[in-house]
Amino acid sequence: MGSMFKITYDVTLKNYNVEKEMIDAIRCRNGNLEIAITKQESLSEL
């Protein structure tokens, strides 16, 4: 029986056009386990 870990990162992308590539890279490293991405509204978007 293996152990499951939940790791949380706060990431600020300089270029949102690479968001899909970042998610794909995480999936490859993560063995296709669950990945949850949330977006936080920045002050510049208000």
Side-chain angles (χ1 to χ4, degrees):
M1 198 178 258
S3 297
M4 294 296 289
F5 294 93
K6 180 177 181 179
I7 301 173
T8 304
Y9 294 95
D10 291 324
V11 177
T12 303
L13 295 176
K14 292 181 181 181
N15 180 356
Y16 287 101
N17 295 326
V18 297
E19 184 175 345
K20 182 185 180 324
E21 289 86 358
M22 180 192 70
I23 294 168
D24 290 342
I26 293 171
R27 281 192 184 121
C28 288
R29 288 197 151 283
N30 197 31
N32 242 357
L33 297 174
E34 179 182 345
I35 298 170
I37 306 273
T38 59
K39 292 185 179 181
Q40 182 175 4
E41 191 172 26
S42 68
L43 291 176
S44 63
E45 294 175 320
L46 295 177

